[in-house]
Amino acid sequence: MSVRNTVKSIQDIMRQDAGVDGDAQRISQLCWMFFLKIMDDQDQELELTRDNYVSPIPEKFQWRNWAVDPEGITGESLLAFVNSELFPALKVLPVSAQPGDRRRVVRDLFEDAYNYMKSGQLIRQVVNKISDVDFNSLTERQHFGEIYEQILNDLQSAGNAGEYYTPRALTSFMVDRIDPTPGETLFDPACGTGGFLTCAIRHMETNHVRTPGQLAGHHRIQAIGERERHQPGPVLPRLAA
């Protein structure tokens, strides 16, 4: 199933839920659920590559511990867990003043997030579809921009809160002409969905990363999006970048 069809099938499930009214609420619901899955996939990768890495999300609320089992918690039990435990805990997640504290990203998202769904059975169906996406797979990761852009397309038709995004073919062409290399600073004054930055990273992985030393330099790429620096902005494009 294509990424766009996956998102559409999830939204079709949400349309059956009495608590979700309109595309804007469906999109908001999608955002926090995808966020937790992406964070968990990133955590599992970082646990293998960094010594003593600790997830910013408490163990009980990590995706792998409550969502990944397709036959796991569901119905009223799942609804109570999400509304009475997961959301209250992540909304007040303690953060430090240390730069790069990933707990701040989690708390910032959940401070304004809300679970609109009223059916635990339908939440389980949505969770199972999201669990099928592996964001540690390069192929799946490359599709993340498509997922977010599909969400934006739907949001544009849902009201006046939509955002313009640059077609991926155009950002790929720009990156091909610029030919960025590891160690350079990338500046995107209109970061949006992070499409230019992700295309640049993919370009460097394909054309310039050859040795472990280059790979280390590649991971230190400075990607500065003016919108990301000065406005809170949506969390999903920051993850895409």
Side-chain angles (χ1 to χ4, degrees), residues 45-70:
E45 184 176 53
L46 291 171
E47 286 164 4
L48 296 175
T49 58
R50 294 187 186 178
D51 293 336
N52 303 317
Y53 174 80
V54 177
S55 171
I57 298 178
E59 184 175 358
K60 181 178 182 179
F61 305 116
Q62 294 170 12
W63 187 270
R64 74 193 83 169
N65 292 326
W66 67 270
V68 73
D69 182 1

Side-chain angles (χ1 to χ4, degrees), residues 5 7 15 25 47 63 68 70 93 97 101 116 119 142-144 151 179 182 185 216 218 227:
N5 286 339
V7 173
R15 287 187 178 94
Q25 289 187 1
E47 286 164 4
W63 187 270
V68 73
L93 196 65
D101 187 347
Y116 293 100
S119 167
Q142 289 172 351
H143 289 320
F144 178 74
I151 292 173
D179 189 25
T185 297
H218 170 65
R227 176 182 173 196

Side-chain angles (χ1 to χ4, degrees), residues 60-161:
K60 181 178 182 179
F61 305 116
Q62 294 170 12
W63 187 270
R64 74 193 83 169
N65 292 326
W66 67 270
V68 73
D69 182 1
E71 302 297 329
I73 182 174
T74 187
E76 291 300 320
S77 297
L78 178 55
L79 188 63
F81 171 78
V82 170
N83 289 337
S84 302
E85 297 186 52
L86 186 145
F87 264 79
L90 298 186
K91 281 179 181 290
V92 296
L93 196 65
V95 300
S96 68
Q98 183 177 356
D101 187 347
R102 287 162 62 88
R103 290 174 297 182
R104 185 175 301 278
V105 177
V106 178
R107 192 180 72 177
D108 286 351
L109 182 139
F110 277 89
E111 278 181 343
D112 298 321
Y114 183 76
N115 175 46
Y116 293 100
M117 297 186 71
K118 304 301 182 185
S119 167
Q121 285 87 356
L122 293 176
I123 292 176
R124 167 52 61 186
Q125 292 181 37
V126 172
V127 162
N128 288 349
K129 286 190 174 293
I130 294 175
S131 290
D132 288 338
V133 183
D134 177 11
F135 287 101
N136 284 334
S137 162
L138 180 59
T139 301
E140 301 282 5
R141 190 180 298 174
Q142 289 172 351
H143 289 320
F144 178 74
E146 294 181 42
I147 294 174
Y148 189 70
E149 287 165 7
Q150 176 67 31
I151 292 173
L152 283 187
N153 272 332
D154 293 339
L155 187 57
Q156 285 175 326
S157 64
N160 59 6

